[in-house]
Amino acid sequence: MSILPRTNASARSAGTKFPQLRKAVPVFAALGDETRLRLIVLLCTGGALSITQLTAGTEITRQAVTKHLKVLADAGLVRDLRSGRERLWELESSRLEEARRSLDVIAGQWDQALLRLKAALEK
């Protein structure tokens, strides 16, 4: 058992071994932006919110928030609801749960690698 980092070929095969990791890529890409992460935090604590509510107290424009919400929606993290003439945005918590499970898989791989390293060093 090697304790060295995976090669590109073995990293690619991880996508077939752990398909949930491949599904999580758009989620992690969307969350990699500070503004989008802040929007997710707001939606986690405030329920469904309008763009006006999401921009309150910030210097970010409504147009910028709309673009960020589109990225989050494309990743499956948020969805919009119509309430009369208003458009509200809410969190799709199941996608965050899928991302959390992906991180659990990665954490398990690291734990195994560290155990292999420990065993190799103790020999």
Side-chain angles (χ1 to χ4, degrees), residues 6-86:
R6 293 175 179 250
T7 64
N8 287 340
S10 61
R12 281 192 299 273
S13 71
T16 57
K17 282 188 195 176
F18 305 105
Q20 68 270 31
L21 295 179
R22 181 163 291 194
K23 284 177 53 179
V25 169
V27 173
F28 290 120
L31 294 175
D33 179 87
E34 183 180 348
T35 300
R36 290 191 290 268
L37 191 55
R38 185 186 66 76
L39 291 171
I40 291 294
V41 169
L42 288 171
L43 292 170
C44 282
T45 60
L49 299 171
S50 68
I51 290 178
T52 301
Q53 293 168 313
L54 290 168
T55 58
T58 69
E59 294 182 14
I60 191 165
T61 66
R62 292 169 54 112
Q63 292 81 8
V65 167
T66 300
K67 288 180 183 180
H68 284 294
L69 287 169
K70 171 137 178 37
V71 172
L72 292 169
D74 289 346
L77 289 164
V78 299
R79 65 180 169 164
D80 65 325
L81 309 165
R82 295 279 182 196
S83 177
R85 291 178 40 193
E86 192 169 44

